[in-house]
Amino acid sequence: MAAKLIDRKFHNVPGRLRVAELFFDVPLNYTKPNEGTLRLFARSVRRLVTPVEPNTGNNDDKQLPWLVYLQGGPGFGCRPPQEIGWISTVLDKGYQVLFLDQRGTGLSSTITASTLARQGNAVKQAEYLKHFRADNIVRDCEAVRRCLTTDFPEDKRKWSVIGQSFGGFCITSYLSMFPEGLSEAFICGGLPPLVSDPDPVYARTYEKVLERNKAYYAKFPEDVDRVKQIVQYLKDNEVALPSGKLSPERFQQLGIAFGMHGGLDSIHDLVLRAWSDLDVLGFLTHPTLTSIDSHGGMDNNVIYAILHEAIYCQGQASNWSADRYRASNTNFHIDTTLPEILFTGEMVYKDMFDSYTELKQIKEAADILASTNDWPQLYDEAQLARNEVPVYAATYLDDMYVHFDHAQNTAAKIKGIKQFITNTMYHNAIRAKSDEVFQQLFAMREDTID
């Protein structure tokens, strides 16, 4: 079925872009389309063309091929297109680009504690949240595609997709469920583990987190004692943040940045600031606390916390996988007598639902989802094996979030995939090194590689 276009307004980014702000209605549950709708938001972008003859219009109806961007996450909306460093590169290739806020994120029926409360008790909230995984995200994409290409010739109704991280997971679901809607797919750091629960994922990603901790302390050996001092202070004092409280565990979770370009330095800056406060003043100042708070994000992106482990579930329960692993691995215990206090990575823990004010309100629903085992399949390996859609992937050997071994296992199961594999980029290369990434992706697309 096609999405219903509710509103479309155009504006210009001077000298650069022609942007349309689009709102659609789609079913909450595609198997029961009459039982409620969601409002989706997207921005479409094309080159701003100022015609020589003003009366010729702005060419808004020109049927350029679509490229849809699927954001990483889960739980994050898209940034405005003028903040996207690679937008000019893609527009120069002749596409018009659609930045779709995935359901529950950005302006697309945003999920928060207060919006969830409208659904009723925790059981009803959990049932509602089951509709916000990759399978329904790609159903939304198909519904929007059918809406936007209604007037296109039949042979031009397919569109291209590009996904970063979790966006690549969504694309792999798209290839499994609706390959007939795709003309090509680009995946950046997002070949998903083909697993039924998160346990095998964390068995490998904790290894990469350990490597990044070693790299951090090798670069900043002075932070070994500084981190211990900060953690001891947090153990001895109740420290409030704008979004909740700064527990030792929440400070430990800053390591989620370690897998990004510049991540080690950004966390060192926070450690340096916090240690300096304690050394000079004996307490953490407001600028320090707000800086630390800004590195969390769970309060503004609750889907990330509440559904993060569920993105790996197919017929199995997650049972707080990352939490269980941390508890069983003494290396990651918060103990100042250990040689080093290790930071954690892209994992969600039970204590987050105590240290974030927003998450505390949906803790019961999170527990229900963690014990849910009837998650539907997200990937069809038989369909991937007979795939005919061109797929181009940028894969990072030292990815801390999507382990290289899992990515290669998946790549081996997608017929015809081409990969650019590198050990000189990290997970956020699409932002940090976009020129290099897109040069490689389009080189594979244009068959310029010998």
Side-chain angles (χ1 to χ4, degrees):
M1 62 181 299
K4 182 179 180 181
L5 180 62
I6 301 300
D7 190 44
R8 174 166 55 187
K9 296 290 190 298
F10 290 94
H11 69 270
N12 297 338
V13 176
R16 297 182 57 206
L17 309 174
R18 181 71 170 165
V19 178
E21 296 167 345
L22 308 165
F23 287 93
F24 305 90
D25 276 352
V26 295
L28 167 67
N29 182 352
Y30 280 86
T31 63
K32 299 177 181 178
N34 296 322
E35 295 187 3
T37 61
L38 294 175
R39 180 65 52 88
L40 299 183
F41 174 73
R43 291 184 178 95
S44 67
V45 188
R46 61 177 61 199
R47 279 278 184 221
L48 176 61
V49 178
T50 304
V52 176
E53 295 292 336
N55 292 335
T56 61
N58 55 42
N59 240 6
D60 284 329
D61 295 326
K62 186 178 179 182
Q63 294 179 339
L64 297 173
W66 283 103
L67 174 67
V68 183
Y69 178 66
L70 290 168
Q71 170 71 32
F76 297 88
C78 294
R79 292 178 295 153
Q82 60 268 30
E83 297 179 9
I84 306 296
W86 47 263
I87 187 68
S88 292
T89 301
V90 171
L91 294 179
D92 285 345
K93 292 292 181 179
Y95 297 101
Q96 57 182 329
V97 184
L98 188 74
F99 294 94
L100 175 66
D101 284 351
Q102 297 162 16
R103 54 170 52 199
T105 77
L107 299 183
S108 292
S109 300
T110 313
I111 295 291
T112 68
S114 58
T115 61
L116 278 177
R118 295 181 176 184
Q119 301 304 317
N121 61 26
V123 173
K124 292 181 179 178
Q125 291 174 24
E127 285 299 317
Y128 181 74
L129 285 161
K130 288 181 182 180
H131 299 295
F132 288 81
R133 295 201 311 158
D135 48 354
N136 283 311
I137 290 170
V138 299
R139 289 186 178 101
D140 289 342
C141 288
E142 269 299 277
V144 171
R145 180 185 68 84
R146 290 170 184 163
C147 174
L148 293 180
T149 63
T150 297
D151 297 328
F152 281 45
E154 184 70 32
D155 61 344
K156 293 185 178 181
R157 291 182 182 174
K158 295 182 180 183
W159 62 13
S160 304
V161 287
I162 180 167
Q164 155 68 8
S165 189
F166 174 70
F169 291 26
C170 293
I171 287 176
T172 309
S173 292
Y174 212 147
L175 292 167
S176 298
M177 297 169 63
F178 304 108
E180 67 278 5
L182 300 177
S183 58
E184 60 187 351
F186 302 93
I187 296 174
C188 300
L191 286 169
L194 299 182
V195 295
S196 58
D197 68 82
D199 283 7
V201 174
Y202 294 128
R204 303 310 307 273
T205 50
Y206 266 104
E207 296 172 4
K208 301 301 293 186
V209 173
L210 181 59
E211 288 179 15
R212 297 304 288 162
N213 271 277
K214 290 179 178 177
Y216 175 76
Y217 284 122
K219 185 172 185 177
F220 303 109
E222 64 273 23
D223 285 0
V224 173
D225 291 332
R226 290 173 177 173
V227 169
K228 289 183 179 182
Q229 290 177 46
I230 295 166
V231 166
Q232 190 60 53
Y233 175 82
L234 297 177
K235 284 186 173 184
D236 296 339
N237 297 272
E238 286 283 333
V239 180
L241 290 172
S243 66
K245 65 179 181 180
L246 183 56
S247 63
E249 291 80 10
R250 183 159 169 183
F251 188 80
Q252 181 189 35
Q253 291 153 15
L254 291 172
I256 192 173
F258 278 178
M260 303 291 188
H261 288 278
L264 301 185
D265 296 87
S266 68
I267 301 308
H268 167 70
D269 287 345
L270 292 178
V271 169
L272 177 63
R273 176 184 282 273
W275 170 80
S276 178
D277 279 358
L278 296 179
D279 189 55
V280 176
L281 303 171
F283 64 93
L284 298 177
T285 62
H286 181 74
T288 295
L289 293 173
T290 54
S291 294
I292 291 172
D293 199 48
S294 69
H295 276 69
M298 300 294 175
D299 53 332
N300 287 326
N301 306 285
V302 301
I303 283 180
Y304 186 90
I306 205 166
L307 287 179
H308 194 271
E309 293 197 348
I311 69 175
Y312 300 110
C313 292
Q314 302 182 93
Q316 299 287 334
S318 68
N319 291 319
W320 296 108
S321 178
D323 209 87
R324 287 185 284 106
Y325 190 98
R326 184 179 62 175
S328 66
N329 189 326
T330 55
N331 288 327
F332 287 92
H333 289 183
I334 300 179
D335 182 350
T336 55
T337 66
L338 291 171
E340 300 164 342
I341 292 179
L342 300 183
F343 291 88
T344 54
E346 191 183 36
M347 293 93 181
V348 173
Y349 301 103
K350 287 183 180 181
D351 59 74
M352 290 177 174
F353 292 83
D354 295 314
S355 63
Y356 283 89
T357 303
E358 187 82 1
L359 296 186
K360 187 180 295 185
Q361 301 173 64
I362 55 176
K363 183 177 182 179
E364 192 176 349
D367 272 326
I368 293 170
L369 290 171
S371 62
T372 295
N373 59 13
D374 61 349
W375 298 106
Q377 295 293 307
L378 294 169
Y379 312 112
D380 182 340
E381 293 192 25
Q383 176 57 44
L384 295 176
R386 58 177 179 266
N387 172 64
E388 297 296 334
V389 178
V391 181
Y392 312 101
T395 305
Y396 314 121
L397 194 65
D398 293 318
D399 199 321
M400 195 182 84
Y401 312 89
V402 180
H403 197 281
F404 180 74
D405 290 350
H406 283 304
Q408 291 315 288
N409 177 64
T410 301
K413 296 182 178 181
I414 301 177
K415 180 184 174 185
I417 189 173
K418 293 182 180 180
Q419 288 189 89
F420 160 62
I421 299 173
T422 179
N423 64 350
T424 64
M425 296 182 186
Y426 293 124
H427 189 70
N428 64 331
I430 193 174
R431 294 189 297 274
K433 296 191 174 185
S434 60
D435 288 348
E436 296 176 51
V437 170
F438 278 92
Q439 179 183 2
Q440 295 293 339
L441 289 174
F442 285 122
M444 290 189 291
R445 179 184 181 272
E446 294 159 9
D447 288 325
T448 58
I449 298 176
D450 290 336

